[in-house]
Amino acid sequence: MHYNFTSHCKHNSKLMNSRLILFDIDETMIYSDGVGRRAMEAALNRVFERKIDATGHPMSGKTDPQICHEILLALGYSKEEVDSKLPDAFNIYIELLEAEICKANGFRLHNGVKELLQELSARTDCHLGLLTGNIEKGARLKLTPFELNSYFVFGAFGCDSADRLHLPQFAHRRAEEVFGRKFEKDELVIIGDAVNDILCAQGYGIRCIITATGRTPKETLAELNPDYLFDSLENTGEIIDAIFASRSQEPKIGAKQI
Ligand SMILES: [Mg+2]
């Protein structure tokens, strides 16, 4: 189901209390089943001509360039060397990622995601975008099997900045260009699963709704006081209520939902 954003803009450009909802991908919308990790390892192996094992390297909520830099700098490569080889590594990564996605049995959609996207995209007061550490081609590949790309006409990606904390401003600016209207920060909401999703939202002064469907324990997420913390995105009504809760109506951060 594709939402007609163009007509939306014309009719609702002055609508207040609308929402710009920025979705993370891995472990928020999909179980990634390690496809990105395996493809990245194999791509780095090929480009740097050595066995690189990223097992155990924490990747949750990080950008693809950040992950590569962390792994390679720890192995003694210089930043300049990494930067010069990353474009080749990413090209190979994309080829390998497609193959990994095809063969991974556990690569699937989280319950409730499709229903939530359908509900949100049918509303005239919601605009959807991506905010993910994946480079854009990788992000789009991961959404393809579930036909989710049409819900997201724009996004901010790991190829925009290696620092995830910079991504909200990219998403904000890009949304204003794409939809032809201004968005107040109160209208922005990040939906994610990791510590970095929370830090990203808090760093930019916007709200976040966190689903504990990733690798980060719920208790760890709770310690950072996300605005909302759910076990999953399955209860569509509850998630939409959280998306539209105004700041003044909300309980003390995280108090009620955790
Ligand atoms: Mg994630």
Side-chain angles (χ1 to χ4, degrees):
M1 184 183 293
H2 184 78
Y3 182 57
N4 186 333
F5 290 98
T6 309
S7 67
H8 176 120
C9 292
K10 282 181 190 152
H11 297 305
N12 297 282
S13 59
K14 294 198 165 51
L15 192 69
M16 300 307 284
N17 202 37
S18 62
R19 289 291 181 266
L20 174 61
I21 309 156
L22 302 169
F23 280 83
D24 170 57
I25 296 179
D26 297 285
E27 323 316 328
T28 295
M29 292 197 282
I30 60 168
Y31 290 96
S32 62
D33 195 23
V35 294
R37 175 187 297 271
R38 289 192 293 279
M40 192 65 82
E41 268 182 359
L44 294 180
N45 286 348
R46 207 183 289 179
V47 171
F48 287 85
E49 298 178 319
R50 62 179 284 180
K51 176 74 183 152
I52 292 172
D53 184 358
T55 311
H57 187 89
M59 295 184 177
S60 294
K62 295 181 180 174
T63 66
D64 287 344
Q66 177 187 6
I67 292 165
C68 292
H69 275 98
E70 285 178 356
I71 293 170
L72 293 161
L73 264 54
L75 290 172
Y77 292 97
S78 68
K79 185 179 181 306
E80 292 68 30
E81 202 171 356
V82 175
D83 284 337
S84 69
K85 290 184 174 175
L86 267 195
D88 283 348
F90 282 145
N91 285 338
I92 296 169
Y93 165 71
I94 290 300
E95 283 171 31
L96 299 176
L97 181 63
E98 194 159 16
E100 285 291 342
I101 288 171
C102 289
K103 67 185 182 198
N105 290 328
F107 187 79
R108 56 193 173 87
L109 200 58
H110 274 295
N111 291 340
V113 168
K114 193 86 179 192
E115 293 80 359
L116 178 61
L117 293 175
Q118 282 171 344
E119 289 250 358
L120 293 175
S121 64
R123 298 175 62 123
T124 56
D125 51 2
C126 290
H127 301 74
L128 307 183
L130 294 167
L131 195 154
T132 170
N134 285 278
I135 56 173
E136 180 165 12
K137 283 183 180 170
R140 297 293 179 186
L141 271 182
K142 288 179 178 179
L143 297 180
T144 297
F146 314 112
E147 299 181 337
L148 298 190
N149 276 309
S150 62
Y151 291 103
F152 303 104
V153 293
F154 86 101
F157 303 92
C159 40
D160 291 316
S161 172
D163 185 344
R164 193 181 182 111
L165 300 191
H166 292 161
L167 296 186
Q169 60 189 329
F170 279 94
H172 193 174
R173 193 185 318 143
R174 212 162 269 159
E176 292 185 337
E177 288 166 12
V178 169
F179 300 117
R181 51 155 290 185
K182 292 282 176 200
F183 288 96
E184 301 299 326
K185 281 190 177 178
D186 277 354
E187 295 177 293
L188 272 61
V189 184
I190 284 176
I191 299 191
D193 70 287
V195 164
N196 272 347
D197 295 297
I198 302 172
L199 297 180
C200 223
Q202 292 175 344
Y204 196 57
I206 61 178
R207 291 177 303 133
C208 62
I209 294 171
I210 300 298
T211 168
T213 43
R215 295 184 182 87
T216 314
K218 192 174 180 184
E219 300 69 33
T220 305
L221 296 166
E223 283 169 13
L224 288 165
N225 291 324
D227 298 276
Y228 287 84
L229 178 56
F230 294 103
D231 289 321
S232 76
L233 298 178
E234 280 184 66
N235 189 332
T236 307
E238 212 172 37
I239 304 298
I240 291 178
D241 284 349
I243 288 171
F244 277 91
S246 69
R247 277 212 150 123
S248 58
Q249 291 170 339
E250 285 174 21
K252 189 81 180 149
I253 286 175
K256 191 172 148 192
Q257 286 74 28
I258 293 167

